[in-house]
């Protein structure tokens, strides 16, 4: 969505991107919490428990749930910044 909106210079796509990235933040944050505290919720079974860290980077600091959370936060922040910049013009 963002790629097409960038190429076609559509500023109105923010109304679609913000709710979707907001939901993404919530889901990614839930996965980070599950990884930190596996007793919070569901039981996981594929390749280990909910706290299993697959593909750790930087000594386990960056995991797949944390990277997805970071990506959604960046998409949301940059979309809001572009939206506010366009409204001032």
């Amino acid at each position: 969505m963002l790629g097409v909106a960038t190429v076609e210079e559509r500023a109105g796509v923010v109304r679609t991107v913000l709710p979707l990235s907001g939901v993404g933040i919530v889901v990614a944050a839930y996965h980070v919490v599950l990884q930190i505290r596996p007793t919070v919720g569901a039981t996981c079974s594929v390749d280990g428990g909910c706290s299993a860290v697959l593909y750790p980077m930087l000594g386990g600091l960056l995991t797949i749930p944390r990277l997805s959370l970071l990506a959604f936060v960046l998409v949301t922040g940059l979309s809001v910044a572009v939206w506010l910049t366009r409204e001032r013009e």
Side-chain angles (χ1 to χ4, degrees):
M1 244 191 250
L2 286 174
V4 171
T6 302
V7 170
E8 294 181 358
E9 296 181 8
R10 292 185 185 181
V13 76
V14 171
R15 287 178 283 223
T16 305
V17 169
L18 287 180
L20 291 175
S21 63
V23 170
I25 287 173
V26 170
V27 171
Y30 175 69
H31 287 145
V32 169
V33 169
L34 276 181
Q35 199 169 49
I36 294 171
R37 303 179 121 203
T39 58
V40 168
T43 49
C44 303
S45 61
V46 178
D47 290 337
C50 289
S51 62
V53 177
L54 303 175
Y55 310 112
M57 291 170 260
L58 295 176
L61 179 65
L62 291 178
T63 61
I64 293 174
R66 289 180 185 164
L67 286 173
S68 68
L69 179 62
L70 178 64
F72 281 117
V73 167
L74 286 174
V75 165
T76 303
L78 291 173
S79 296
V80 168
V82 166
W83 181 43
L84 292 175
T85 304
R86 296 215 180 210
E87 282 204 359
R88 289 183 188 165
E89 293 176 357

